Amino acid sequence: PTLSIMPTSSAFPTQKPSISSYPTKYPSVSPSQSPTKEVEGPFQMKLWWGEDYHWQGERKERRWCIRCKSSSCSEGSEVIFSECKRKSTSQWWIKSHRKIMPHKRKNHCLSYTGGVKIKKCDENSDDQEWFFDYNGFNTDGERFEAHPINEVGECLSTQHHPRNGEAVKLVECVKAREDYTTSFWNALAPPRWNGH
């Protein structure tokens, strides 16, 4: 798809739809029958696995989810990878508009200034807003990428193949896609947790 932060005008339509986090100037000709939910969750953010992936020298799927490093998800807590465990509430998240929050600390947000960390939510802070492309944010098992709203060329990822306890980072999307195969995510809601 064509990635567009702001609406553009063209004499000819593109072959694929544009993706934008901002409202368009005019209403849709065919409005969605499934409007975006204001709050989604709880869900687990799982690094997407492709059948042709080869992480840490293995072709076996590793199920890596993100969680707060501190058990309380307090301000300043790093966000790390850990093996997905459906009953681990430290891996549960909520999405509200463009913000991602730990399920247990709904007044704290996933932030990307000074590393990927938890900070007190601030409605005026762009460094807590995320943009989701490819299939857009969904809990249907479809993959998507998560980008900082102001850094579309950066992806929520890791700087190599994932490891337990490793910090989640922002990585140049091209590298994350091509070198590390770690740019895509699934958001898995309770009915899909058995799919881990």
Side-chain angles (χ1 to χ4, degrees):
T2 304
L3 183 60
S4 172
I5 295 299
M6 298 299 289
T8 58
S9 59
S10 171
F12 302 99
T14 58
Q15 288 187 5
K16 296 189 178 192
S18 298
I19 298 171
S20 176
S21 290
Y22 294 94
T24 57
K25 189 173 180 179
Y26 302 102
S28 300
V29 176
S30 302
S32 170
Q33 297 302 311
S34 309
T36 303
K37 297 176 190 171
E38 286 189 28
V39 176
E40 295 191 55
F43 58 85
Q44 288 176 299
M45 285 275 292
K46 176 187 165 288
L47 205 53
W48 188 79
W49 169 264
E51 290 181 14
D52 58 338
Y53 285 12
H54 195 210
W55 289 342
Q56 305 300 346
E58 297 179 335
R59 293 213 178 270
K60 176 184 172 192
E61 179 179 3
R62 296 288 181 179
R63 294 172 176 97
W64 297 112
C65 286
I66 63 171
R67 69 173 180 85
C68 297
K69 188 172 185 176
S70 76
S71 60
S72 64
C73 280
S74 57
E75 175 126 11
S77 176
E78 263 188 309
V79 178
I80 62 171
F81 287 98
S82 66
E83 204 170 314
C84 297
K85 295 178 182 163
R86 67 180 179 171
K87 291 183 180 178
S88 176
T89 58
S90 65
Q91 294 178 351
W92 294 3
W93 300 88
I94 291 199
K95 179 184 165 287
S96 178
H97 302 284
R98 290 187 285 233
K99 295 188 183 293
I100 300 173
M101 296 157 281
H103 183 255
K104 58 172 68 174
R105 300 226 11 139
K106 295 177 183 83
N107 62 341
H108 285 67
C109 290
L110 189 64
S111 177
Y112 50 86
T113 297
V116 179
K117 295 183 179 179
I118 301 300
K119 294 190 179 172
K120 190 163 177 72
C121 291
D122 177 355
E123 67 181 57
N124 299 314
S125 178
D126 289 345
D127 73 345
Q128 297 175 350
E129 294 195 359
W130 297 87
F131 167 77
F132 306 94
D133 67 0
Y134 284 87
N135 294 303
F137 181 88
N138 69 85
T139 55
D140 300 327
E142 297 293 325
R143 70 182 189 167
F144 58 85
E145 285 183 335
H147 308 273
I149 197 75
N150 292 325
E151 302 284 341
V152 179
E154 299 282 312
C155 285
L156 192 64
S157 182
T158 176
Q159 292 180 317
H160 46 78
H161 295 157
R163 291 188 178 106
N164 194 44
E166 175 179 26
V168 176
K169 303 217 181 260
L170 290 182
V171 177
E172 189 179 325
C173 294
V174 172
K175 276 190 164 300
R177 272 183 225 122
E178 296 173 8
D179 296 348
Y180 315 131
T181 57
T182 57
S183 71
F184 292 106
W185 295 87
N186 293 118
L188 302 174
R192 294 191 174 268
W193 286 349
N194 289 333
H196 284 297

